[in-house]
Amino acid sequence: MQKPSRTATGETLTALFKAALAAADPGQLLERRIPAPVRGRTVLVGAGKASAAMARAFETAWSGPLEGLVLTRYGHAVPCDQVEIVEAGHPVPDVAGERAARRILVLARGLGPHDQLVFLASGGGSALLSLPAPGLTLDDKQAVTRALLRSGATITEINTVRKHLSAIKGGRLAAAAAPARIVTLAISDVPGDDPTVIASGPSVPDPTTFADARAVLAKYRIVEPTAVVAHLSGELEETPKPSDPIFDRAKFDLVASPQGSLQSAAAVAMRRGIVPIVISDRIEGEARQVGIVHAGIALQIRARKFRVGGRLISPPAVLLSSGETTVTVTGKGRGGRNVEFLLALAVALDGANGISALACDTDGIDGTEDNAGAIIYPDSLARASARGISAHAALAKNDGYGFFAALGDLVMTGPTLTNVNDFRAVLILD
C-alpha cells in the first residue's frame, strides 16, 4: 500500500482542525442563545479573543435598542454598529485594557432593576479586562502576570490570583450591575468549562479566596511585586461568593466548548474512515510531558496493542485532545505550548512511520507568536537534521517556533475570532 504524502496527511489534519473551529464559530452559535428583551436598557459588554465576533453576532440577532463596549485582543476586532469595540494587550495587560475595563464598570454601575447586562466571555478576557484593585497599579499586574506565565502555573491557578488583584473580575462586575438582570454568554477556553475561570468570571460568583491566591504565589515562589503580596495578605474585601443575592437574577449560558469542537473533528474523522479516540478536553500539565504521553498511546495503536473496552484499535486512527498545557520557560527560544507539545512528541516518536500530528491554539495564536501551531510528520526529525537542526536542542531552548519555521511546517491562520483552547490531533496511518 502506498504511503500517504505529506500533502495528503497535512490536508487530513487541517480538515480536522477546521471542523473544530467551525463548531465554535460565534456567528453560527449566538443567534439561538439571545436573551429576551427587558423593559429597560440592554447593555452589551464583553472581554476575550472571541468577544468582538460574538458582539457582531449578537447585534445581528437583536432587534431592539442596544449599547455597550466589548474588549478584544489586538487584531481580533470586527466592525459593529451599536457596540464599541476596543483592542488591548494579551497575554500581558496594557493601558488600553485598563481604560476599557474601567468604562465597562461604569456602564454596569449605571443599570437599574429594569435593565439587563449581557456579558460576552471568552478566552483571553482575564488579561484584557485589566482593572487593578485599589492600591495596585497596572505595572504590578503586568509583573505578576509575566511571572505566572513563565512559572508553569495552570490557567485555574493564574486566574485565582488575577481575581483577587482585580476591581472587576471574580464577580465584581456583577456586583456593580446589581440589581439589573445579568446574562453571561460564554465560549469556554478552560479545562472543565468552569464559569468561574472563563475570563476570570467577572459576572459569576467566585468560590476562591485570598488564601487560595496566596497559596498559588507560594507554590511557584513568586515574591514580587511587593504591592501584590501585601494586597493578598490584607484581604480587604473578598470576591462575591455563590450565596450572594446579587446573583439571584444572573444566568450563565455556555455557547461553545472544547468538547463540542472535539466531537465535530471526530465526526469528520469517521467520515474519512479514521477511528477517532477522544482522550479528553481538559488536559493540563507541562506541554512536553503531555507530548510524551500522546506519543506512547500513538505507538501502542500503531503496534495494534491499544484496546478500548473489548475492541482492539488499529490504524487508521486519530487521537484527539484539548485543554490548556503549560510551559515552564528555561530557554530563550520562541514558541508557545502547542509547538512545545509537538517538539516533545516528535522527539518521543523518533521518526516512527505513519504517525503525524497537528497542535494549534483555536484562537489562531500560539503563545505570543504569529502562528496557530504546527504539524509534525514521520520525517520531521530527519529533515531537521539535514539542515543541521537538533530537535533535542530546540526543546531545551523552548524554541519550537524556530524549529518548525525552518521546516516550513508552521500553521498560520491569523486570528480565528473564536477560542476553545488548544486542539491536538495525532494521526496514525500505519
Side-chain angles (χ1 to χ4, degrees):
M1 181 177 178
Q2 186 176 5
K3 292 182 179 179
S5 66
R6 279 207 304 270
T7 300
T9 299
E11 189 278 328
T12 297
L13 289 167
T14 301
L16 299 178
F17 181 44
K18 288 180 177 178
L21 293 178
D25 179 3
Q28 302 299 315
L29 297 168
L30 250 71
E31 64 177 351
R32 301 188 298 273
R33 317 299 272 270
I34 301 299
V38 293
R39 191 184 349 162
R41 301 159 59 204
T42 292
V43 173
L44 184 68
V45 297
K49 300 170 190 174
S51 62
M54 294 171 77
R56 181 169 62 184
F58 191 100
E59 278 193 352
T60 300
W62 184 259
S63 58
L66 187 66
E67 59 187 296
L69 187 157
V70 163
L71 184 56
T72 194
R73 182 177 178 166
Y74 292 117
H76 291 244
V78 295
C80 290
D81 296 324
Q82 302 174 77
V83 177
E84 181 181 355
I85 307 297
V86 175
E87 293 181 309
H90 178 281
V92 177
D94 67 3
V95 172
E98 180 182 15
R99 290 172 178 166
R102 194 177 307 278
R103 293 175 59 198
I104 288 173
L105 198 61
V106 170
L107 284 171
R109 286 175 176 155
L111 298 178
H114 302 300
D115 304 322
Q116 73 175 341
L117 181 79
V118 180
F119 180 70
L120 306 176
S122 62
S126 295
L128 292 163
L129 209 59
S130 53
L131 184 58
L136 296 176
T137 67
L138 181 61
D139 287 343
D140 294 328
K141 295 197 71 173
Q142 289 172 331
V144 75
T145 297
R146 291 189 181 100
L148 286 165
L149 290 173
R150 294 179 65 89
S151 71
T154 67
I155 188 60
T156 299
E157 291 172 325
I158 292 172
N159 286 0
T160 294
V161 175
R162 282 169 163 164
K163 285 184 281 190
H164 288 87
L165 302 178
S166 175
I168 194 169
K169 295 192 276 280
R172 297 192 189 277
L173 176 64
R181 186 168 81 175
I182 302 163
V183 178
T184 302
L185 301 176
I187 292 180
S188 172
D189 73 322
V190 301
D193 305 327
D194 186 343
T196 73
V197 181
I198 302 169
S200 290
S203 55
V204 298
D206 175 34
T208 68
T209 64
F210 276 91
D212 294 329
R214 291 196 300 271
V216 172
L217 294 192
K219 177 180 178 180
Y220 296 101
R221 300 179 182 179
I222 297 172
V223 296
E224 291 181 332
T226 55
V228 166
V229 175
H231 177 83
L232 294 179
S233 299
E235 301 189 17
L236 301 175
E237 181 186 357
E238 260 297 355
T239 48
K241 303 306 175 194
S243 60
D244 197 308
I246 65 172
F247 299 107
D248 289 348
R249 301 185 65 203
K251 175 187 176 183
F252 178 88
D253 188 358
L254 184 65
V255 175
S257 69
Q259 181 64 19
S261 287
L262 291 179
Q263 290 172 347
S264 180
V268 170
M270 291 179 68
R271 289 198 292 270
R272 291 178 175 232
I274 300 168
V275 178
I277 302 168
V278 178
I279 300 176
S280 175
D281 68 343
R282 56 179 70 190
I283 291 178
E284 298 181 271
E286 285 288 327
R288 61 180 64 193
Q289 295 301 321
V290 174
I292 292 170
V293 172
H294 279 62
I297 299 173
L299 290 169
Q300 191 83 347
I301 293 171
R302 182 175 175 272
R304 291 163 173 77
K305 295 180 179 180
F306 186 81
R307 288 186 178 274
V308 177
R311 181 185 180 187
L312 190 66
I313 304 298
S314 299
V318 63
L319 301 176
L320 300 171
S321 71
S322 184
E324 185 162 339
T325 61
T326 53
V327 177
T328 301
V329 179
T330 56
K332 296 182 178 180
R334 300 171 61 193
R337 56 186 182 259
N338 287 289
V339 290
E340 180 100 351
F341 162 85
L342 286 170
L343 198 50
L345 178 71
V347 169
L349 291 174
D350 195 25
N353 287 331
I355 304 178
S356 304
L358 173 148
C360 290
D361 196 320
T362 54
D363 68 4
I365 306 296
D366 187 26
T368 58
E369 303 302 329
D370 57 357
N371 64 313
I375 299 177
I376 64 164
Y377 301 96
D379 65 351
S380 290
L381 296 188
R383 287 189 291 131
S385 181
R387 291 169 170 78
I389 301 168
S390 164
H392 290 84
L395 190 58
K397 294 188 296 184
N398 303 116
D399 193 29
Y401 185 95
F403 180 88
F404 291 107
L407 297 182
D409 290 336
L410 292 173
V411 174
M412 312 291 282
T413 64
T416 62
L417 306 182
T418 191
N419 186 14
V420 285
N421 225 318
D422 298 333
F423 174 82
R424 294 178 288 267
V426 182
L427 183 63
I428 307 100
L429 296 176
D430 181 66

